[in-house]
Amino acid sequence: MTSIIHVAPLHKPAEGAARRIVRRLPEIFQIPAEIVTLDIDLKKAFNPARRQYHSGTILAALLERAPATHGKVIGVTEVDLYIPVLTFVFGEAQLDGRAAVASMHRLRNSFYGLPKDEDLAFDRLEKEAVHELGHTFNLRHCENYSCVMHSSTYVEDIDLKYPTFCRACFAEIKR
Ligand code: ZN
Ligand code: ZN
């Protein structure tokens, strides 16, 4: 039984975003969440050719630095994340593991040349964080369009779903 979710801002610019989402996670997962400060060197994940950060390297660093032998840890960042087979990812997680990461980088309207809406960006980050943490609870993608575990390729997909799990997914988490 997972007792806590640790939310780790991976650098100073992500601290505000981490504080916003840590308040929302306990109600959704029905377990406590708290901010932790971990010594993660983002430079190690930087790929100069892509000018992006390798999310798998960040997950490995999070696991190494995670505060205890129990609980989940999600890193929050502003940098652009990628996995080798995709141009970018909003986040990544270990399926049925402990670590997840989510980025604000592509969640802001300003990234797409649209008017600034910080509340919308934080709503998107909340959904992305819940989604990635859902994977750490061994959840796969869900067919239900409104479920947070529905797969999102674009921010418009994120906007279509709720920050919460459908009944079937939530039951799986509570198992
Ligand atoms: Zn996913
Ligand atoms: Zn679902």
Side-chain angles (χ1 to χ4, degrees):
M1 180 65 207
T2 297
S3 52
I4 191 160
I5 297 168
H6 301 101
V7 180
L10 296 182
H11 49 169
K12 207 149 184 66
E15 285 176 2
R19 275 196 301 273
R20 288 277 293 246
I21 65 158
V22 76
R23 290 201 295 264
R24 306 201 196 179
L25 297 178
E27 193 185 327
I28 294 169
F29 286 91
Q30 303 284 303
I31 53 175
E34 67 177 31
I35 298 274
V36 287
T37 306
L38 303 180
D39 184 20
I40 305 278
D41 184 6
L42 280 176
K43 286 198 291 292
K44 286 185 181 144
F46 185 65
N47 180 324
R50 296 183 60 135
R51 307 184 62 80
Q52 288 176 302
Y53 292 74
H54 183 233
S55 59
T57 302
I58 297 175
L59 290 182
L62 281 167
L63 267 183
E64 199 181 298
R65 304 278 179 180
T69 53
H70 69 289
K72 308 293 187 188
V73 59
I74 179 159
V76 177
T77 182
E78 293 277 347
V79 301
D80 197 19
L81 301 175
Y82 79 95
I83 60 173
V85 295
L86 294 173
T87 40
F88 73 91
V89 289
F90 295 124
E92 198 196 352
Q94 297 178 295
L95 191 65
D96 198 21
R98 287 189 69 201
V101 62
S103 175
M104 279 292 269
H105 192 83
R106 290 172 187 259
L107 300 182
R108 288 200 177 85
N109 273 356
S110 53
F111 184 84
Y112 305 95
L114 295 168
K116 186 175 171 171
D117 187 340
E118 279 297 278
D119 284 337
L120 178 61
F122 285 125
D123 285 346
R124 289 169 175 167
L125 181 69
E126 176 189 14
K127 293 173 189 177
E128 185 48 34
V130 172
H131 179 98
E132 297 306 338
L133 284 165
H135 283 313
T136 70
F137 285 89
N138 204 23
L139 288 177
R140 307 323 207 255
H141 287 152
C142 181
E143 301 281 307
N144 185 333
Y145 283 93
S146 61
C147 175
V148 75
M149 290 314 293
H150 195 75
S151 172
S152 303
T153 307
Y154 305 105
V155 281
E156 290 82 359
D157 305 327
I158 301 178
D159 294 341
L160 287 176
K161 60 189 184 183
Y162 293 112
T164 49
F165 298 100
C166 71
R167 287 174 63 145
C169 286
F170 190 69
E172 200 59 38
I173 280 184
K174 289 290 134 189
R175 261 162 34 113

